[in-house]
Amino acid sequence: MKILLAFLMFFHCSIVLGQKIFNDFIQSYPIGEDPNIRLMSSYTKKETILFEANPIVRYSFYNNFVKGLLEEDKKHTQAWYLSYRPQLRMYTDNSLPVKTPSYRILLGTQHLFRLNSDNSELYKFLGFSIESGHYSNGQDKSAFSELFVDGSIQSDSIYNLITSSTNLSEILNRRSGNFSTNLTEIIFNYRTYKLDNENIPKQLFSFNLGYILYHNRFLGIGDFGGFTQNDIEIYGKHRFLLGFEFMNVLEKLDNRRYSLKQNIEIISKPHQSVNPFRLESVITFYPLKKSKDVGIMLTYIYGHDNYNYRFVDSGHQITFGLTWCQFPPFALTKKLQ
């Protein structure tokens, strides 16, 4: 019965994700994570993951990337939006049905600047994104005990017992442990395109450099939803991001394409039992000619987990699933080659 439920959830999320992305195709975003749903191995023997869904949704207040990039003299395109980035995992045990899910609700903006003329062999762009908001898992118990409410005297006393040699993965409250912070993320992106005869990208090189700050005040103003001092000493305020992507169109396969991604995240000064590094290598193939945003992805991960407080887990992980590209190839100019 549990396997059937997992399959139905997997299928349902696939349909919902697909419909959402197809309907919002005009709202493309060059920077940021793509929605996906995937089977995945587990970091720890304490729990077994069936699958994970990341049904990322961005609701634009303004977005002119698709229209603006067609205009020959348009040097700046942009989007302003509300981002909802849930992260949901289904486990083999009784998780009712999702155990300590992650929720990110963020205000964001993205910008692209065209660096050269449309007559160039390479089309060069420099961009950036800024997102700020709240990140939590909606739980209310201590991160390291199912018995006490987070923030209580009993819960705080547990932190006094944690030393530099404590294995946090062993004592983590995986069922109801609270994780909460506000954050601001900024990513700089440099990308180059080669275009085909219809001015649609046939090759992409993209580089990301990013920084995430965990802070107490929501959007830097509201005094709610932030971290506790005990928690921030464990998971650190600063994270640094580095990313690379190569995309290539296969003319011999009727212009289907593949992409290779390498993402790196480094946590600055976490607890000593936490692996500060996360390396994620992704191979994606887009098999559908008409639906250019649907891809099949295979991922290898080494380092800390990225599922709220489970960053205390670390190791090797393999995932396989579907993804929906948020910035599929489309014409970047009306000018003829």
Side-chain angles (χ1 to χ4, degrees):
M1 188 66 178
K2 187 171 293 184
I3 298 299
L4 176 59
L5 175 61
F7 174 80
L8 291 175
M9 288 184 64
F10 188 96
F11 180 77
H12 175 72
C13 288
S14 298
I15 297 299
V16 171
L17 279 167
Q19 289 178 340
K20 179 58 188 171
I21 298 303
F22 292 147
N23 291 339
D24 286 353
F25 174 78
I26 196 65
Q27 296 186 4
S28 295
Y29 303 88
I31 304 172
E33 299 178 30
D34 292 333
N36 62 68
I37 184 166
R38 54 190 181 173
L39 303 172
M40 63 195 325
S41 60
S42 301
Y43 276 112
T44 172
K45 295 181 179 179
K46 290 182 176 294
E47 53 194 5
T48 301
I49 304 169
L50 284 179
F51 71 89
E52 178 181 274
N54 294 275
I56 301 168
V57 181
R58 296 173 176 88
Y59 299 98
S60 285
F61 307 115
Y62 177 80
N63 188 323
N64 74 336
F65 283 124
V66 175
K67 182 179 179 180
L69 288 171
L70 279 172
E71 301 179 17
E72 298 172 7
D73 58 349
K74 193 88 171 176
K75 302 301 181 183
H76 173 218
T77 50
Q78 60 185 305
W80 298 80
Y81 56 91
L82 175 67
S83 175
Y84 177 54
R85 293 162 55 182
Q87 187 177 9
L88 311 172
R89 283 185 184 172
M90 179 71 180
Y91 292 87
T92 56
D93 62 345
N94 185 11
S95 50
L96 297 176
V98 178
K99 187 160 52 175
T100 59
S102 287
Y103 303 103
R104 293 179 179 89
I105 301 176
L106 310 165
L107 287 174
T109 183
Q110 297 189 17
H111 299 260
L112 270 187
F113 298 89
R114 192 188 298 265
L115 298 182
N116 59 343
S117 69
D118 296 332
N119 296 318
S120 303
E121 180 180 354
L122 283 180
Y123 289 74
K124 302 176 182 179
F125 295 87
L126 181 65
F128 71 89
S129 72
I130 300 175
E131 295 186 348
S132 185
H134 182 65
Y135 176 22
S136 67
N137 65 0
Q139 307 301 307
D140 64 347
K141 294 297 179 66
S142 171
F144 301 104
S145 174
E146 293 187 34
L147 301 177
F148 309 117
V149 175
D150 184 66
S152 65
I153 296 176
Q154 297 91 333
S155 176
D156 290 342
S157 67
I158 296 174
Y159 288 92
N160 297 329
L161 303 177
I162 295 175
T163 67
S164 59
S165 60
T166 302
N167 187 331
L168 299 180
S169 181
E170 292 294 325
I171 65 173
L172 180 65
N173 174 10
R174 299 176 180 275
R175 182 166 299 277
S176 57
N178 175 63
F179 176 89
S180 181
T181 187
N182 293 312
L183 67 85
T184 297
E185 173 188 276
I186 181 168
I187 297 176
F188 295 98
N189 174 257
Y190 173 76
R191 60 181 56 209
T192 65
Y193 289 103
K194 288 184 178 180
L195 306 187
D196 62 17
N197 293 332
E198 297 180 353
N199 298 324
I200 296 174
K202 63 179 180 180
Q203 193 174 90
L204 161 73
F205 286 92
S206 177
F207 303 88
N208 286 336
L209 182 64
Y211 169 68
I212 301 174
L213 173 66
Y214 286 176
H215 50 81
N216 250 325
R217 292 188 176 272
F218 180 73
L219 301 179
I221 302 173
D223 190 16
F224 59 87
F227 53 72
T228 67
Q229 192 59 39
N230 286 327
D231 287 328
I232 201 63
E233 290 177 1
I234 290 174
Y235 50 73
K237 288 186 178 182
H238 311 282
R239 281 162 167 73
F240 301 94
L241 311 174
L242 183 65
F244 167 78
E245 179 182 4
F246 171 73
M247 182 277 293
N248 190 49
V249 171
L250 302 168
E251 295 181 3
K252 293 183 179 180
L253 289 181
D254 205 10
N255 289 329
R256 291 170 174 83
R257 75 187 193 279
Y258 68 91
S259 75
L260 306 174
K261 291 183 182 180
Q262 180 65 62
N263 296 316
I264 300 173
E265 179 182 277
I266 302 174
I267 304 175
S268 176
K269 299 179 180 179
H271 185 270
Q272 292 186 20
S273 71
V274 175
N275 185 343
F277 297 99
R278 177 180 173 85
L279 288 77
E280 188 170 348
S281 303
V282 187
I283 301 174
T284 307
F285 177 65
Y286 297 86
L288 303 179
K289 183 178 179 180
K290 293 184 178 181
S291 301
K292 295 183 177 181
D293 48 355
V294 180
I296 301 171
M297 63 185 298
L298 176 66
T299 307
Y300 165 72
I301 300 168
Y302 168 73
H304 63 258
D305 200 353
N306 69 343
Y307 193 63
N308 54 71
Y309 228 131
R310 281 173 173 75
F311 73 89
V312 299
D313 297 334
S314 179
H316 303 269
Q317 194 172 43
I318 299 292
T319 82
F320 176 77
L322 299 177
T323 185
W324 287 262
C325 180
Q326 65 172 353
F327 204 65
F330 55 83
L332 296 183
T333 180
K334 292 180 181 179
K335 181 177 287 188
L336 298 176
Q337 296 292 318

